[in-house]
Amino acid sequence: RAMTGWRRNLIQCMFSTLGRCMFFLMGFRIKVEGRLATPLEAPILAVAPHSSFFDGIACVVAGLPSTVSRSENVSVPVFGRILKALQPVLVSRLDPDSRKNTINEITKRATSGGVWPQVLIFPEGTCTNRSCLITFKQGAFIPGLPVQPVLLKYPNRLDTVTWTWQGYTFMQALAMTLCQPFTNVEIEFMPVHVPSKEEKKDTALYANHVRCEMAKALDVPVTDHTFEDCRLMISAGELTLPMEAGLVEFTKISKKLSLKWDNVRQQLETFAEIASSSKGGRIGIDEFAEYLKLPVSDVLRELFALFDRSGDRKS
């Protein structure tokens, strides 16, 4: 049940002040552009690019809206208590119905007419290095309601905040950032995007249009890579394969070949064995098709070309 009245005002005021003080003491200099929309104008905030655990500063500036968080985070000492007080939308990786329940909860809060606070979502679903915007997950756009895009920028000479699957660890990024005299962060509230009839019917179209607007404002390109590609990269690294072997635009390819994540992960393990047994760890299109037990086709050639980095028909 939504927290209302003086309790909500007290919690938001207290934790918002605490959050601003915390980031101030860590040396963050915050610049805000644009105007935060009201819950009735835009019940959902879409924040990008998502590149660091410091991105929580957007939640503080936005007045502590509801966020989507892993259920395990509620058990973390101190932080878990604070998170629980903010009534987040909790996601459980162990619950097979979690995705459906999360979407239902986001929709319920977004259509509450202001009873619930706004819902803040990082639609990329993972941290990137801010050089582009990857494919947005559709959770923020499924309700078909107005969304306010929010841009996050860190215009610093030395980048110490980026925290991805490669590079600094959590503690290294935290220590290096705290060692800086100050860290600049810019948060821009863009005009509210009201979906058209076509966008309400096609969630992927709606998500892509918002992403393109944000990419244009950031002056960065977009890419069809997704969170699943990041998972594949990490898996490739664990199997001692080059991490770029996981960059295959998984979502786009999976739709063409009807692939599922678990099956692709198993195939990745198989290819790790093939790479270790093959001379130089390279195979041609015919061997590629044989290992996949598929005929050579245009779609298979397209998939093979994604791995053929050198263009010599060997991968």
Side-chain angles (χ1 to χ4, degrees):
R1 191 171 62 179
M3 188 183 301
T4 59
W6 66 268
R7 288 184 178 85
R8 182 200 284 187
N9 294 333
L10 176 63
I11 289 291
Q12 288 184 326
C13 180
M14 182 172 63
F15 284 121
S16 180
T17 302
L18 180 63
R20 285 179 177 273
C21 289
M22 180 183 71
F23 280 107
F24 174 77
L25 293 174
M26 287 193 294
F28 281 84
R29 299 198 304 190
I30 307 171
K31 179 181 178 182
V32 180
E33 297 180 7
R35 180 184 68 86
L36 173 65
T38 66
L40 294 178
E41 291 174 325
I44 298 175
L45 306 175
V47 184
H50 185 24
S51 63
S52 173
F53 48 87
F54 290 119
D55 291 349
I57 197 169
C59 301
V60 174
V61 173
L64 298 179
S66 297
T67 58
V68 179
S69 178
R70 293 183 301 172
S71 57
E72 307 93 88
N73 292 339
V74 177
S75 303
V76 178
V78 183
F79 173 76
R81 289 274 184 164
I82 296 174
L83 182 64
K84 194 172 182 179
L86 300 177
Q87 297 188 289
V89 178
L90 297 177
V91 180
S92 173
R93 294 182 176 181
L94 301 178
D95 182 3
D97 297 323
S98 181
R99 183 176 183 275
K100 177 183 176 182
N101 294 337
T102 300
I103 291 174
N104 289 340
E105 184 64 22
I106 291 173
T107 303
K108 183 184 81 172
R109 297 190 183 195
T111 56
S112 67
V115 174
W116 285 92
Q118 289 166 298
V119 180
L120 184 147
I121 297 175
F122 294 97
E124 290 178 293
T126 189
C127 289
T128 68
N129 61 6
R130 299 191 300 279
S131 62
C132 63
L133 290 184
I134 65 174
T135 301
F136 281 5
K137 288 184 172 293
Q138 298 176 21
F141 309 96
I142 288 176
L145 298 171
V147 168
Q148 182 172 36
V150 183
L151 305 180
L152 265 177
K153 309 171 190 175
Y154 293 94
N156 300 289
R157 180 175 297 180
L158 178 64
D159 179 15
T160 62
V161 300
T162 300
W163 184 57
T164 60
W165 55 89
Q166 279 185 311
Y168 302 134
T169 64
F170 172 86
M171 291 305 299
Q172 287 174 333
L174 178 61
M176 291 183 67
T177 301
L178 293 179
C179 286
Q180 302 305 309
F182 55 82
T183 301
N184 293 311
V185 57
E186 295 179 3
I187 300 173
E188 180 181 347
F189 294 98
M190 295 180 64
V192 174
H193 184 112
V194 180
S196 63
K197 291 182 180 179
E198 292 75 15
E199 290 172 335
K200 289 181 179 179
K201 293 178 181 178
D202 189 342
T203 305
L205 178 69
Y206 185 10
N208 190 53
H209 283 175
V210 172
R211 180 176 67 137
C212 289
E213 284 182 9
M214 299 176 77
K216 183 178 180 181
L218 290 165
D219 194 24
V220 298
V222 297
T223 174
D224 288 329
H225 294 102
T226 63
F227 171 59
E228 282 69 26
D229 286 293
C230 299
R231 293 176 67 190
L232 278 175
M233 286 184 68
I234 294 171
S235 297
E238 291 172 348
L239 295 169
T240 67
L241 292 170
M243 292 189 75
E244 60 269 20
L247 282 173
V248 296
E249 296 184 353
F250 174 80
T251 299
K252 185 167 68 175
I253 293 298
S254 65
K255 290 178 181 177
K256 290 186 178 181
L257 297 178
S258 299
L259 298 175
K260 294 184 178 180
W261 159 256
D262 291 335
N263 294 336
V264 172
R265 180 64 172 80
Q266 292 174 0
Q267 290 297 330
L268 194 62
E269 293 177 356
T270 301
F271 278 112
E273 297 175 2
I274 296 170
S276 61
S277 61
S278 299
K279 185 177 180 180
R282 309 185 73 196
I283 60 174
I285 181 68
D286 293 327
E287 294 168 290
F288 186 73
E290 182 182 346
Y291 283 119
L292 283 179
K293 296 181 175 58
L294 291 172
V296 176
S297 63
D298 291 338
V299 174
L300 192 70
R301 288 191 180 92
E302 182 180 347
L303 177 61
F304 182 80
L306 292 171
F307 293 97
D308 185 14
R309 306 292 179 181
S310 60
D312 61 357
R313 298 184 181 181
K314 292 278 186 180
S315 69

